[in-house]
Amino acid sequence: MNAAGTAAALQYCVVEGPSNNLMLRDGDVCAQCLLTDGPAPRLLFAFAAGNSGAAIWFEPAELHWQALAPLRAQRLADGQGRPLRGVEIEVRADRPRLRIRRALLGSVRVLRNHQHDASLPPAGLVDPQLVRALGGAVIVWQRDRIDGRAGYRLELQVVGGRVEADAEALELIAAPGEDLQLRLVAATGETPLRPLPAAQLLTAAAADLPQARQALEFLSFDDRWLAGGWRFLTYFGRDTLMSLRLLLPVLQPAGMRAALASVLERLDAQGRVAHEENVGEFPLIERVGAGWPLAGAPEFELDHKMVDDDFMLLPVLAACLLEAGGRFDAASFLATRSAGGVSYGALIMRNAAHVLARARPFARDPVAANLIRLPPGQVAGDWRDSTDGLGGGVFPYSVNAVLVPAALAALRMLEGVDELAPHLAALGALDELEAMVRVWQDAAPDCFLFARPAATLRAAVESYTAELRLPPAVAAAALADCGAAHECVASALALDAAGHPLPILHSDFAFALMFARPDAATLRREVAQLVRPFPAGLMTDAGMLVANPVYGDAALRERFANDRYHGTVVWSWQQALAAAGLARQLARDDLDAATRRVLADAQALLWQRIAAAREVANSELWSWDHDGSRFVVAPYGPKSRTADESNAAQLWSTVYLALR
């Protein structure tokens, strides 16, 4: 039994790099606690409620934390009797003294920003209060939300020790001859989410992967799926749709409805899919920073600047309605009224109208300038949503070569769903759909092709190998299947503003494997890049990389290093997408034997690499080191120049539950 008197519904831990992540979901408490070791120690709490949390960063001091007991749910009240929900934990540090550098409590977005660049919010800072208590000194940080609603509390007790304060910091001091022992309570007044019961998530066909099940349960709620913890404990449209599609074979109806409904409820008036939901206190903090009054502030804000998720909805919906084996009640779902009073069927047609409007210019004049471009002033628009993720490109491959034609093809398939017939009739313009699909499927991928002769290929691989300080044998292995006449022909990650391909090898052909039916020649060419050894291709002993700048100049190579968020690193879900896509292509009956051998060999190699990194499969991403003979998994975060770190629980990394 826990402190609240109920049995904990879910509790587990994950070691990710220097952090021990303790996860707890117990009724109305969903919390994650990070104990971060090393020279930059940190204690951090994150809550699903309001995407809120609290963190303490300490002055540099090499140490190791030990949790003395599991997380315990705590339900308490603030000074006005309003409920706070949180957790308690007791920890030990293997040193007698430690100085606090900074403590923050409020939105996880504030904690993320401070972790990134040490920035502080324009509002919501609070000074610590030092309380003398039986059994040791207690430091308390407590405040209301900046709009006066129930806020946040963080309490730290030095068990048996004391606290000394000076003008610059608080120093925690253990009892004589002892290591530092702390008791912490962190709590939030944000509205809790309603958990989706584990029994309503997966069918009996789901794989026996306990940690993936735990992560999916931890992140699943009846009105949204959370993208990942600790950094993204909120709704993300792209993550929800991709996870739904890949988990579809083993999802129960309640899970399918929760995911799809969460996306439809957050469409804007144009039918665009919301990228991220900004909840809790952070929208208020942004208003204060912009000089706007708090009066009239919305409960949440939706970000619609991404373009890829707009074209994911229809293919995923078509799979739910047409491929779910009768598990999904289309009539009931499409008739459901949203919070705004619009039927889900009508909302889907809003998205369809948006897709048609965006796709029409290229269908009528298939030149690069008419492809789907990032919004003005944006550096990201697809899943590679970091500053350097597209290498400065503005026309993403994933969107244009795969997702737009897939959305158009899905709309054509949805004509067979009786419940959508009246909505499709009202939409009109379907007479041109067949031609639009054909133009996009045939012409858009060709815009991204680039070629390099054999001599350039060899020189680039050898130069890049030396630049990375890898043994010459790595280059030799990468070039083993590249003869003197071997020309590299591949698809670029993106096009620049002038429509020129940026010669970055990438993993996004996995989208085509999952959502399209490429011809045999395209399959052989692009799959070869996925499995060719790095740095000629994308495959390493640590997994399939999501990018390879071997043909880029020095600036591009810098943007795609293995300490960059979307650089030469491994994303778990991208490997899962490729695995699911290869299985889908192998299920076709129109491929020749040679192409099937290429796909089967790639499938076997990819699963070898997935199995070799099973211990990190549920995390967001990882990097690599080379030990002189092979590539080995290295945690992403400790060496990152972008101050990002991998999430220990990532929604779309749980999709192996549906893969074999």
Side-chain angles (χ1 to χ4, degrees), residues 107-370:
S107 172
V108 164
R109 292 284 296 273
V110 168
L111 307 186
R112 277 169 48 189
N113 290 346
H114 185 74
Q115 182 72 33
H116 180 75
D117 58 11
S119 62
L120 295 174
L125 299 176
V126 61
D127 292 328
Q129 304 170 20
L130 185 58
V131 181
R132 304 296 176 184
L134 184 65
V138 178
I139 308 169
V140 176
W141 296 263
Q142 181 169 289
R143 67 175 179 86
D144 290 345
R145 277 184 19 159
I146 60 175
D147 60 355
R149 293 171 60 177
Y152 319 98
R153 179 179 176 89
L154 175 61
E155 178 181 314
L156 181 155
Q157 179 182 12
V158 183
V159 179
R162 69 185 194 277
V163 176
E164 291 186 357
D166 57 34
E168 296 182 353
L170 294 169
E171 185 165 19
L172 314 180
I173 303 171
E178 301 288 337
D179 283 339
L180 197 59
Q181 184 170 328
L182 307 176
R183 171 188 168 273
L184 298 105
V185 175
T188 179
E190 299 282 2
T191 303
L193 304 181
R194 296 184 300 276
L196 189 64
Q200 297 180 23
L201 268 174
L202 298 170
T203 69
D208 184 19
L209 299 172
Q211 194 173 101
R213 287 173 177 265
Q214 291 168 332
L216 181 61
E217 182 183 350
F218 182 76
L219 297 169
S220 298
F221 296 84
D222 68 352
D223 65 343
R224 75 200 74 184
W225 286 356
L226 308 183
W230 66 278
R231 297 171 62 239
F232 304 124
L233 281 174
T234 187
Y235 161 92
F236 278 71
R238 174 196 306 121
D239 302 57
T240 299
L241 287 169
M242 285 307 306
S243 301
L244 171 58
R245 179 64 188 93
L246 291 169
L247 285 167
L248 188 59
V250 297
L251 279 180
Q252 294 199 53
M256 296 163 62
R257 285 186 64 97
L260 261 183
S262 72
V263 175
L264 294 177
E265 293 281 358
R266 292 166 175 81
L267 292 183
D268 70 0
Q270 300 175 50
R272 296 183 301 170
V273 171
H275 163 58
E276 182 178 3
E277 185 175 48
N278 192 357
V279 297
E281 188 185 46
F282 197 71
L284 307 178
I285 289 175
E286 288 189 312
R287 290 179 72 89
V288 170
W292 299 341
L294 289 179
E299 288 295 313
F300 60 88
E301 294 177 340
L302 296 172
D303 169 3
H304 292 89
K305 67 175 179 287
M306 294 292 164
V307 294
D308 62 337
D309 43 20
D310 296 343
F311 301 96
M312 286 182 182
L313 175 56
L314 291 175
V316 174
L317 176 75
C320 289
L321 298 184
L322 301 173
E323 298 181 20
R327 285 178 286 127
F328 195 65
D329 185 345
S332 170
F333 180 77
L334 295 173
T336 300
R337 295 278 170 177
S338 71
V342 181
S343 74
Y344 284 174
L347 289 175
I348 290 163
M349 289 305 104
R350 280 187 191 174
N351 177 256
H354 175 69
V355 166
L356 287 169
R358 295 297 307 276
R360 196 167 283 122
F362 184 83
R364 293 176 176 174
D365 184 10
V367 296
N370 287 333

Side-chain angles (χ1 to χ4, degrees), residues 4 36 48 68 133 136 179 196 237 278 283 359 383 452 526 544 570 615 620 624:
T36 303
L68 301 179
D179 283 339
L196 189 64
N278 192 357
W383 80 271
R452 293 292 185 272
E526 298 292 339
M544 183 183 72
V570 183
E615 72 279 4
E620 185 181 15
W624 51 266

Side-chain angles (χ1 to χ4, degrees), residues 4 8 34 118 122 135 174 227 233 305 371 457 539 571 578:
L34 283 80
L233 281 174
K305 67 175 179 287
L371 291 167
L457 165 64
M539 191 60 71
W571 282 68

Side-chain angles (χ1 to χ4, degrees), residues 382-394:
D382 72 345
W383 80 271
R384 299 171 185 267
D385 56 353
S386 61
T387 301
D388 296 318
L390 290 174
V394 298

Side-chain angles (χ1 to χ4, degrees), residues 321-322 409-421 424 430:
L321 298 184
L322 301 173
L411 187 55
R412 186 177 57 187
M413 290 188 290
L414 288 170
E415 292 184 77
V417 178
D418 292 341
E419 293 83 2
L420 282 176
L424 288 166
L430 295 183

